[in-house]
């Protein structure tokens, strides 16, 4: 999964992984910095030697979220949850929170775990679900 | 051909809106209307114009508008930074005039998004942008859901409430009912309860936390201080400006509650040699109620996290001690896609003493802050009269 400097190719590889229920972030082969989304340069050490790598932890916390009450297209059924989550690996991603019993229980900094789901259009996506409290 | 006369200062000498609301007009017709009216306001002719800045028409925005108006400009700018573009145009036009690159610059905008029904909940994207690749699959409302997440985080970190956000909308309406050009001029006052009772769109933002969707255009004419003194309107000087861009994809926002306005404002205040307390009237982009709280905090009017408390006593409403968004803002006056030019039009009118019933007495210094995209781009401009 070591690609050239075309952003589009990085993104194709990223989504190809999601299609097989694998979430990857990008790791710098020079300094080890992890970043999302994948791009042609390391934002830490400026190296161009990068690779896609599977996340080392499936856990994340919700940085923030919003319950959307009007779907903009057919791929989602309202209400649904859009969120920015922060991976234990470091980077933040935009995603959906799925498998929520009660939307009122959601809160910022809540622990969530990686999952995969298929949207109304048949597209495979990564999402996160609340981790049951101990 | 030699360059024009250099000047130490640049001034706004004409401002105007086109028809606003639900016009049924084309973008170019709205642009032409606004440009003609702003030049009339300045006492200048279309043939006097040698610089043009605009965007949002097409990929060739300046060329489209220049051709339509019969102008062959020697200075052009069609940078795209969303809602803050027009504060950026003011900054760059000001510097171009001071450098003698052009003598009469027109900045213009037009949108028919309401009558053309071109606004989409999911937003308008350019193919292969990072928003399309990494945001759109998760169906955020664009741009609402990012501002909603900023509000949610602000609630979480600082205890801000929906009632405090609603105050921003209530305040905007108190000014709009005193602005005959405002879309909500005849709609009467609103209450905090009205905002909270309006439908939730992307929590915690209700429909009344969101700006209007209207048509409209605007134009601003700038020239040198020397030439401005011979024109009919009181010149409004551009005293300071600053800008920045922090991100464009939702996951890449560095901090949901700390915006680039802090940097752009610091640079503008420094250049103008004034501070927040010196400003008499503020025009701050109110795409959503949360945008105003975040911006006031970043501009230095209150501490980070305290924007809700700062406004909750109603000080920014008509007649209050903190005149803010005196046109009625994007929430109640007009919001044709990009509101930036309207911030500066109202600021110039206030400084010229021409704002009628909503005039802020003795206004000599005004601040405009444009915010574009999803809290992505920021531009602060400080205006003043001698």
């Amino acid at each position: 999964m070591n690609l050239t400097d075309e952003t589009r190719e990085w993104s194709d590889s990223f989504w190809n992984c999601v299609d097989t229920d694998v979430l990857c972030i990008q790791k710098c082969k020079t300094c080890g910095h992890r970043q999302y989304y994948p791009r042609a340069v390391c934002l830490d050490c400026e190296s161009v030697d990068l690779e896609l790598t599977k996340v080392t932890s499936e856990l994340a916390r919700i940085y923030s979220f919003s319950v959307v009450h009007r779907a903009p297209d057919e791929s989602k059924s309202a209400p649904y949850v859009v969120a920015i989550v922060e991976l234990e690996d470091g980077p933040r991603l935009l995603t959906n929170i799925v498998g929520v019993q009660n939307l009122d229980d959601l809160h910022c900094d809540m622990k969530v775990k990686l999952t995969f789901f298929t949207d109304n259009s048949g597209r495979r996506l990564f999402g996160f679900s609340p981790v049951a409290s101990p | 051909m030699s360059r024009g006369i250099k000047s130490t200062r640049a001034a706004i000498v004409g401002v105007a809106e086109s028809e606003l609301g639900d016009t049924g007009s084309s973008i170019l017709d709205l642009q032409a209307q606004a440009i003609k009216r702003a030049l009339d306001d300045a006492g200048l002719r279309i043939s006097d114009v040698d610089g043009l800045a605009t965007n949002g028409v097409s990929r060739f925005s300046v060329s489209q508008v220049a051709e339509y108006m019969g102008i062959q400009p020697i200075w052009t700018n069609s940078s795209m930074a969303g809602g803050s573009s027009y504060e950026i145009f003011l900054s760059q036009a000001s510097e171009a005039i001071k450098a003698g690159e052009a003598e009469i610059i027109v900045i213009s905008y037009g949108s028919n998004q309401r009558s053309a029904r071109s606004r989409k909940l999911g937003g308008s994207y350019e193919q292969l942008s990072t928003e399309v690749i990494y945001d759109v699959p998760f169906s955020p409302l664009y741009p609402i859901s990012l501002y909603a997440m900023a509000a949610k985080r602000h609630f979480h970190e600082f205890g801000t409430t929906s009632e405090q956000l609603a105050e921003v909308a209530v305040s905007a309406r108190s000014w709009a009912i005193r602005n005959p050009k405002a879309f909500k001029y005849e709609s009467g006052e609103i209450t905090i309860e009205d905002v909270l009772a309006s439908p939730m769109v992307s929590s915690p933002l209700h429909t009344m936390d969101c700006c209007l969707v209207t048509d409209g255009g605007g134009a601003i004419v700038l020239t040198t201080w020397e030439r401005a003194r011979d024109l009919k309107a009181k010149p409004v000087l551009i005293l300071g400006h600053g800008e920045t861009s922090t991100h464009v994809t939702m996951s890449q926002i560095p901090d949901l509650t700390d915006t680039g306005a802090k940097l752009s404002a610091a640079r503008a205040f420094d250049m103008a040699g004034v501070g927040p307390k010196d400003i008499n009237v503020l025009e701050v982009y109110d795409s959503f109620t949360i945008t105003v709280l975040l911006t006031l905090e970043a501009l230095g009017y209150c501490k980070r996290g305290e924007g809700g408390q700062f406004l909750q006593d109603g000080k920014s409403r008509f007649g209050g001690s903190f005149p803010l968004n005196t046109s009625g803002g994007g929430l109640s006056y007009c919001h044709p896609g990009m509101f930036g030019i309207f911030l500066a039009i109202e600021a110039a009118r206030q400084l010229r003493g021409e704002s009628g019933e909503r005039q802020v007495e003795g206004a000599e210094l005004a601040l405009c802050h444009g915010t574009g995209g999803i809290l992505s781009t920021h531009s602060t401009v400080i205006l003043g009269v001698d």
Side-chain angles (χ1 to χ4, degrees):
Chain A
M1 283 186 278
N2 195 4
L3 297 173
T4 58
D5 57 0
E6 282 287 327
T7 304
R8 183 65 185 166
E9 290 179 30
W10 280 113
S11 66
D12 283 346
S13 296
F14 172 81
W15 285 107
N16 287 340
C17 290
V18 173
D19 283 342
T20 59
D21 288 6
V22 174
L23 178 64
C24 287
I25 52 174
Q26 197 181 34
K27 187 177 168 192
C28 175
K29 290 165 85 171
T30 304
C31 76
H33 176 69
R34 291 164 196 271
Q35 62 190 19
Y36 179 81
Y37 48 84
R39 58 253 268 178
V41 63
C42 171
L43 299 187
D44 194 8
C45 77
E46 303 184 10
S47 164
V48 294
D49 195 10
L50 299 141
E51 63 182 347
L52 276 180
T53 174
K54 189 178 172 182
V55 291
T56 64
S57 165
E58 296 193 332
L59 294 175
R61 70 172 178 109
I62 298 177
Y63 178 46
S64 194
F65 69 98
S66 176
V67 180
V68 179
H69 292 268
R70 295 184 196 174
D73 55 56
E74 306 286 308
S75 71
K76 296 284 188 311
S77 308
Y80 60 95
V81 184
V82 170
I84 297 173
V85 301
E86 187 169 297
L87 295 171
E88 282 202 336
D89 275 356
R92 289 179 183 159
L93 311 85
L94 190 80
T95 188
N96 295 126
I97 306 296
V98 296
V100 184
Q101 298 298 321
N102 186 350
L103 292 175
D104 293 336
D105 292 340
L106 286 175
H107 57 85
C108 294
D109 292 339
M110 189 176 195
K111 265 200 163 182
V112 288
K113 188 170 185 286
L114 178 66
T115 185
F116 292 85
F117 68 100
T118 304
D119 73 12
N120 295 345
S121 71
R123 179 170 183 174
R124 199 69 178 156
L125 292 171
F126 63 89
F128 288 80
S129 292
V131 175
S133 8
Chain B
M1 201 169 87
S2 66
R3 298 280 177 180
I5 301 159
K6 291 190 182 181
S7 175
T8 52
R9 300 196 285 184
I12 293 172
V13 292
V15 295
E17 300 106 323
S18 69
E19 278 178 59
L20 306 173
D22 200 342
T23 64
S25 299
S26 73
I27 291 172
L28 286 171
D29 280 354
L30 291 170
Q31 284 249 8
Q33 225 178 43
I35 292 170
K36 185 72 180 146
R37 289 177 185 179
L39 287 167
D40 284 348
D41 184 51
L44 291 167
R45 294 171 53 79
I46 296 169
S47 56
D48 293 321
V49 176
D50 61 0
L52 181 64
T54 188
N55 66 17
V57 181
S58 69
R59 286 198 305 136
F60 288 72
S61 289
V62 163
S63 303
Q64 289 272 329
V65 174
E67 176 183 284
Y68 200 77
M69 301 302 291
I71 300 168
Q72 188 182 334
I74 55 168
W75 180 89
T76 69
N77 191 329
S78 45
S79 302
M80 183 58 179
S84 70
S85 299
Y86 286 78
E87 278 60 49
I88 293 174
F89 286 154
L90 271 180
S91 311
Q92 296 182 352
S94 166
E95 295 306 324
I97 280 167
K98 289 196 282 185
E101 296 284 334
E103 192 179 10
I104 308 283
I105 293 180
V106 166
I107 299 172
S108 66
Y109 179 64
S111 166
N112 61 353
Q113 65 165 9
R114 186 180 184 90
S115 48
R117 300 190 166 278
S118 58
R119 189 92 199 173
K120 296 181 186 73
L121 262 180
S124 306
Y125 301 95
E126 289 166 64
Q127 286 309 309
L128 302 193
S129 68
T130 51
E131 300 102 295
V132 168
I133 299 171
Y134 299 106
D135 287 346
V136 172
F138 303 99
S139 308
L141 301 187
Y142 192 94
I144 308 173
S145 293
L146 187 281
Y147 288 88
M149 288 190 282
K152 195 76 188 174
R153 188 72 200 175
H154 207 273
F155 287 16
H156 179 74
E157 285 183 31
F158 307 113
T160 304
T161 64
S162 288
E163 287 76 6
Q164 289 172 335
L165 288 187
E167 171 59 32
V168 176
V170 171
S171 171
R173 182 62 64 84
S174 75
W175 292 97
I177 60 174
R178 293 168 171 91
N179 180 1
K181 290 178 178 157
F183 195 68
K184 297 290 185 181
Y185 175 58
E186 293 177 329
S187 300
E189 301 264 9
I190 53 170
T191 63
I192 304 275
E193 292 70 34
D194 291 333
V195 180
L196 300 184
S198 66
M200 193 71 86
V201 187
S202 190
S203 72
L205 299 181
H206 307 78
T207 50
M208 289 173 82
D209 286 298
C210 304
C211 59
L212 303 167
V213 176
T214 69
D215 296 355
I220 297 178
V221 185
L222 292 95
T223 190
T224 59
W225 168 240
E226 291 74 14
R227 180 112 188 233
R229 283 180 301 185
D230 297 331
L231 296 174
K232 58 184 192 179
K234 185 178 182 182
V236 173
L237 295 162
I238 294 156
L239 303 174
H241 55 79
E243 69 183 74
T244 191
S245 171
T246 52
H247 65 282
V248 73
T249 312
M250 288 192 175
S251 62
Q252 303 298 299
I253 188 168
D255 189 321
L256 279 169
T257 62
D258 191 16
T259 80
K262 196 184 277 177
L263 178 59
S264 68
R267 292 174 65 84
F269 281 129
D270 183 57
M271 183 176 172
V274 301
K277 297 231 175 337
D278 299 317
I279 304 294
N280 308 118
V281 56
L282 276 96
E283 307 296 341
V284 167
Y285 204 123
D286 56 345
S287 47
F288 302 94
T289 50
I290 183 65
T291 320
V292 175
L293 297 195
L294 291 171
T295 307
L296 292 179
E297 291 170 16
L299 293 177
Y301 286 95
C302 55
K303 288 187 188 148
R304 185 171 175 194
E306 293 182 359
Q309 291 169 48
F310 179 68
L311 291 183
Q312 73 182 2
D313 65 359
K315 65 165 69 65
S316 66
R317 296 186 191 184
F318 172 77
S321 62
F322 188 73
L324 171 70
N325 295 349
T326 53
S327 63
L331 290 165
S332 272
Y333 150 57
C334 72
H335 194 280
M338 293 190 282
F339 188 67
I341 198 166
F342 302 96
L343 299 169
I345 289 171
E346 174 67 6
R349 287 203 179 114
Q350 286 284 351
L351 295 174
R352 281 160 51 166
E354 295 172 358
S355 287
E357 194 190 345
R358 61 187 196 285
Q359 179 63 42
V360 174
E361 285 308 315
E364 291 182 348
L365 276 176
L367 181 150
C368 302
H369 184 83
T371 305
I374 49 170
L375 292 167
S376 312
T377 65
H378 296 269
S379 179
T380 313
V381 177
I382 294 167
L383 304 174
V385 283
D386 265 6

Coordinates of all heavy atoms in Angstrom, one line a residue, chain B residues 74-106:
Chain B
I74 N -7.6 46.7 -15.5 CA -6.1 46.5 -15.5 C -5.7 45.8 -14.2 O -4.6 45.5 -14.0 CB -5.3 47.8 -15.7 CG1 -5.7 48.9 -14.7 CG2 -5.5 48.3 -17.1 CD1 -4.8 50.1 -14.7
W75 N -6.7 45.7 -13.3 CA -6.4 45.0 -12.0 C -7.6 44.1 -11.7 O -8.8 44.6 -11.8 CB -6.2 45.9 -10.8 CG -6.0 45.3 -9.5 CD1 -4.7 44.9 -9.0 CD2 -6.9 44.9 -8.5 NE1 -4.9 44.3 -7.8 CE2 -6.2 44.3 -7.5 CE3 -8.3 44.9 -8.5 CZ2 -6.9 43.8 -6.4 CZ3 -9.0 44.4 -7.4 CH2 -8.2 43.8 -6.3
T76 N -7.4 42.8 -11.5 CA -8.6 41.9 -11.3 C -8.2 40.9 -10.1 O -7.1 40.7 -9.8 CB -8.9 41.0 -12.5 OG1 -7.8 40.1 -12.7 CG2 -9.1 41.9 -13.7
N77 N -9.3 40.5 -9.5 CA -9.1 39.5 -8.4 C -10.4 38.6 -8.4 O -11.5 39.2 -8.2 CB -8.9 40.2 -7.1 CG -8.5 39.2 -6.0 OD1 -8.8 38.0 -6.0 ND2 -7.6 39.7 -5.1
S78 N -10.3 37.3 -8.5 CA -11.5 36.5 -8.3 C -11.2 35.3 -7.4 O -11.6 34.2 -7.6 CB -12.0 36.0 -9.7 OG -10.9 35.5 -10.5
S79 N -10.4 35.6 -6.3 CA -10.1 34.6 -5.3 C -11.4 34.1 -4.7 O -12.4 34.8 -4.5 CB -9.3 35.3 -4.1 OG -8.1 35.8 -4.6
M80 N -11.4 32.8 -4.3 CA -12.6 32.2 -3.7 C -12.2 31.8 -2.3 O -11.4 30.9 -2.1 CB -13.0 31.0 -4.6 CG -14.3 30.4 -4.0 SD -15.7 31.6 -3.9 CE -17.0 30.6 -3.3
A81 N -12.9 32.4 -1.3 CA -12.7 32.0 0.1 C -14.1 32.0 0.8 O -14.2 32.2 2.0 CB -11.7 32.9 0.8
G82 N -15.1 31.7 0.0 CA -16.5 31.7 0.6 C -16.8 33.0 1.1 O -16.5 34.1 0.6
G83 N -17.5 33.0 2.3 CA -18.1 34.2 2.9 C -17.1 35.3 3.3 O -17.5 36.4 3.4
S84 N -15.9 34.9 3.4 CA -14.9 36.0 3.8 C -14.2 36.6 2.6 O -13.4 37.5 2.7 CB -13.8 35.4 4.7 OG -13.0 34.5 4.0
S85 N -14.6 36.1 1.4 CA -13.9 36.6 0.1 C -14.0 38.1 0.0 O -13.0 38.7 -0.5 CB -14.7 36.0 -1.1 OG -14.6 34.6 -1.2
Y86 N -15.1 38.7 0.4 CA -15.3 40.1 0.2 C -14.5 41.0 1.1 O -14.1 42.1 0.8 CB -16.8 40.4 0.0 CG -17.2 39.9 -1.3 CD1 -17.5 38.5 -1.5 CD2 -17.3 40.7 -2.4 CE1 -17.8 38.0 -2.7 CE2 -17.6 40.2 -3.7 CZ -17.8 38.9 -3.8 OH -18.1 38.4 -5.1
E87 N -14.2 40.5 2.3 CA -13.3 41.2 3.2 C -11.9 41.1 2.6 O -11.1 42.0 2.7 CB -13.4 40.7 4.6 CG -14.5 41.3 5.4 CD -15.9 41.0 4.9 OE1 -16.1 39.9 4.5 OE2 -16.7 42.0 4.7
I88 N -11.6 39.9 2.1 CA -10.2 39.7 1.4 C -10.1 40.6 0.2 O -9.1 41.3 0.0 CB -10.1 38.2 1.1 CG1 -10.0 37.4 2.4 CG2 -8.8 38.0 0.2 CD1 -9.9 35.9 2.1
F89 N -11.2 40.7 -0.6 CA -11.1 41.7 -1.7 C -10.9 43.1 -1.3 O -10.1 43.8 -1.9 CB -12.5 41.6 -2.5 CG -12.7 40.4 -3.3 CD1 -14.0 40.0 -3.6 CD2 -11.6 39.7 -3.9 CE1 -14.2 38.8 -4.4 CE2 -11.8 38.5 -4.7 CZ -13.1 38.1 -5.0
L90 N -11.5 43.5 -0.2 CA -11.3 44.9 0.3 C -9.9 45.1 0.7 O -9.3 46.1 0.4 CB -12.2 45.1 1.6 CG -13.6 45.6 1.5 CD1 -14.2 45.7 2.8 CD2 -13.6 46.9 0.7
S91 N -9.3 44.1 1.4 CA -7.9 44.2 1.8 C -7.0 44.3 0.5 O -6.1 45.2 0.5 CB -7.4 43.0 2.5 OG -8.3 42.6 3.5
Q92 N -7.2 43.4 -0.4 CA -6.3 43.4 -1.6 C -6.5 44.6 -2.5 O -5.6 45.2 -3.1 CB -6.5 42.1 -2.3 CG -6.0 40.9 -1.3 CD -6.1 39.6 -1.9 OE1 -6.6 39.3 -3.0 NE2 -5.5 38.6 -1.2
A93 N -7.8 45.1 -2.6 CA -8.1 46.3 -3.4 C -7.4 47.5 -2.8 O -6.9 48.3 -3.4 CB -9.6 46.5 -3.5
S94 N -7.5 47.5 -1.4 CA -6.9 48.6 -0.7 C -5.4 48.7 -1.0 O -4.9 49.8 -1.3 CB -7.2 48.4 0.8 OG -6.4 49.3 1.6
E95 N -4.7 47.6 -0.9 CA -3.3 47.6 -1.1 C -3.0 47.9 -2.6 O -2.0 48.6 -2.9 CB -2.7 46.2 -0.8 CG -2.8 45.9 0.7 CD -2.2 46.9 1.6 OE1 -1.1 47.5 1.2 OE2 -2.7 47.2 2.7
A96 N -3.8 47.4 -3.5 CA -3.6 47.7 -5.0 C -3.7 49.2 -5.2 O -2.9 49.8 -6.0 CB -4.6 46.9 -5.8
I97 N -4.7 49.8 -4.6 CA -4.9 51.3 -4.8 C -3.7 52.1 -4.2 O -3.2 53.0 -4.8 CB -6.2 51.7 -4.2 CG1 -7.3 51.4 -5.2 CG2 -6.2 53.2 -3.8 CD1 -8.7 51.4 -4.6
K98 N -3.3 51.6 -3.0 CA -2.1 52.3 -2.4 C -0.9 52.2 -3.2 O 0.0 53.1 -3.3 CB -1.9 51.8 -1.0 CG -2.9 52.2 0.0 CD -2.5 52.0 1.5 CE -2.6 50.6 1.9 NZ -2.3 50.4 3.3
A99 N -0.7 51.0 -3.9 CA 0.4 50.8 -4.8 C 0.3 51.4 -6.1 O 1.3 51.4 -6.9 CB 0.7 49.3 -4.9
G100 N -0.8 52.0 -6.4 CA -1.0 52.6 -7.7 C -1.3 51.6 -8.9 O -1.2 52.0 -10.0
E101 N -1.7 50.4 -8.5 CA -2.0 49.4 -9.5 C -3.3 49.7 -10.2 O -3.6 49.3 -11.4 CB -2.1 48.0 -8.8 CG -0.9 47.5 -8.2 CD 0.1 47.0 -9.2 OE1 -0.3 46.6 -10.3 OE2 1.4 47.1 -9.0
A102 N -4.2 50.4 -9.6 CA -5.5 50.8 -10.2 C -6.0 52.0 -9.4 O -5.6 52.2 -8.2 CB -6.5 49.6 -10.1
E103 N -6.9 52.7 -10.0 CA -7.4 54.0 -9.3 C -8.9 53.8 -8.8 O -9.2 54.3 -7.7 CB -7.3 55.2 -10.2 CG -7.5 56.5 -9.4 CD -7.3 57.7 -10.3 OE1 -7.3 57.6 -11.5 OE2 -7.3 58.8 -9.7
I104 N -9.7 53.2 -9.6 CA -11.1 53.0 -9.2 C -11.4 51.5 -9.3 O -11.5 50.9 -10.3 CB -12.1 53.8 -10.1 CG1 -11.7 55.2 -10.3 CG2 -13.5 53.6 -9.6 CD1 -12.0 56.1 -9.2
I105 N -11.5 50.9 -8.1 CA -11.8 49.4 -8.1 C -13.2 49.2 -7.6 O -13.7 49.8 -6.6 CB -10.8 48.7 -7.1 CG1 -9.4 48.8 -7.7 CG2 -11.2 47.2 -6.9 CD1 -8.3 48.1 -6.9
V106 N -13.9 48.3 -8.3 CA -15.3 47.9 -7.9 C -15.2 46.5 -7.4 O -14.6 45.6 -8.1 CB -16.3 48.0 -9.1 CG1 -17.6 47.3 -8.7 CG2 -16.6 49.5 -9.3

